[in-house]
Amino acid sequence: NFMLTQPHSVSESPGKTVTISCTRSSGSIANNYVQWYQQRPGSPPTTLIYEDNQRPSGVPDRFSGSIDSSSNSASLTISGLKTEDEADYYCQSYDSSNSWVFGGGTKLTVL
Amino acid sequence: HLQLQESGPGLVKPSETLSLTCTVSGGSISTSSYCWGWIRQPPGKGLEWIASMFYSGSTYSYNPSLRSRVTVSEDTSKNQFSLKLSSVTAADTAVYYCAVDKPMAQPDWGQGTLVAVSS
């Protein structure tokens, strides 16, 4: 099994761009799709990105996902930050036994 | 999108069995290639995968740390799948979510249900 490591917290100003990383501990990040979820307090997670870089309908194009094999990591980039983007963000992938693996979550502060 | 709704007791006594059901609408749990899962989130903490299943092929996967206490099952007549977690302790207090992962489409999650373990 592998782990997904995210920064505990990030902060940035409104209007700026922030990138949240998700590093896979073993095996290639490209082996299994990565999803990204946003969770606001008291609400369930909502899907921001699926299958590495696909955006569900209704998710603004300010949100984008990518993977980087050289760093064995996935990234969620949020541009044009808004105060409403303040939330917890989780990455998620799969291992070979169809287990779901979650990152520890990143708290985004927009100040 | 599929709609998923968790249901079950909000309070369970220590050492008893937690039982939750996820009712699916907008699609069938017997759809091949759909992976149905249970995830939990203790208060103030991150997401923890519990178990998942592919109805097609009856393939089940369990979090190794919970495997000995977890059972998942399905009821196609009611379009539901269920979770049982035995011998619960206070550490099992969490919001429990059901979710579905679909190829070439976004995952869908239920709203979650809070289960407290207390006497």
Side-chain angles (χ1 to χ4, degrees):
Chain A
N1 285 8
F2 61 89
M3 297 194 314
L4 296 173
T5 301
Q6 301 180 231
H8 181 70
S9 62
V10 295
S11 62
E12 189 50 271
S13 304
K16 300 291 189 181
T17 297
V18 69
T19 297
I20 298 172
S21 62
C22 171
T23 302
R24 179 166 168 159
S25 61
S26 61
S28 172
I29 191 70
N31 283 355
N32 307 93
Y33 284 130
V34 175
Q35 279 63 239
W36 287 93
Y37 302 99
Q38 178 190 64
Q39 187 179 35
R40 294 192 174 99
S43 295
T46 60
T47 305
L48 283 178
I49 298 291
Y50 66 98
E51 294 185 354
D52 296 341
N53 55 19
Q54 300 300 302
R55 215 172 26 250
S57 59
V59 173
D61 61 6
R62 301 186 297 108
F63 296 89
S64 63
S66 63
I67 63 168
D68 180 358
S69 295
S70 65
S71 59
N72 213 34
S73 64
S75 294
L76 172 70
T77 299
I78 311 171
S79 59
L81 273 170
K82 301 183 177 184
T83 54
E84 68 203 48
D85 297 331
E86 198 161 278
D88 293 327
Y89 293 84
Y90 294 90
C91 61
Q92 176 257 317
S93 189
Y94 313 90
D95 75 8
S96 57
S97 63
N98 294 316
S99 304
W100 300 11
V101 182
F102 287 94
T106 298
K107 181 177 180 61
L108 170 63
T109 302
V110 182
L111 35 67
Chain B
H1 293 202
L2 298 180
Q3 289 77 48
L4 292 82
Q5 180 66 58
E6 305 86 352
S7 60
L11 181 64
V12 181
K13 290 183 167 56
S15 80
E16 295 189 344
T17 295
L18 178 161
S19 296
L20 295 174
T21 296
C22 182
T23 302
V24 179
S25 56
S28 171
I29 67 164
S30 58
T31 302
S32 62
S33 78
Y34 282 16
C35 184
W36 306 92
W38 287 98
I39 302 100
R40 71 181 183 178
Q41 185 172 36
K45 296 188 178 181
L47 300 168
E48 179 183 32
W49 170 74
I50 302 170
S52 54
M53 63 167 230
F54 282 92
Y55 172 76
S56 172
S58 296
T59 302
Y60 303 91
S61 301
Y62 300 95
N63 185 321
S65 68
L66 299 169
R67 184 186 181 93
S68 63
R69 299 194 290 130
V70 171
T71 303
V72 294
S73 60
E74 67 281 346
D75 184 337
T76 55
S77 66
K78 296 181 180 178
N79 214 34
Q80 296 174 334
F81 64 106
S82 299
L83 169 72
K84 291 188 186 298
L85 179 65
S86 63
S87 305
V88 297
T89 69
D92 296 310
T93 293
V95 176
Y96 286 76
Y97 296 99
C98 57
V100 60
D101 187 53
K102 306 165 287 183
M104 296 182 290
Q106 68 178 88
D108 293 314
W109 288 55
Q111 288 296 306
T113 186
L114 175 62
V115 180
V117 178
S118 175
S119 54

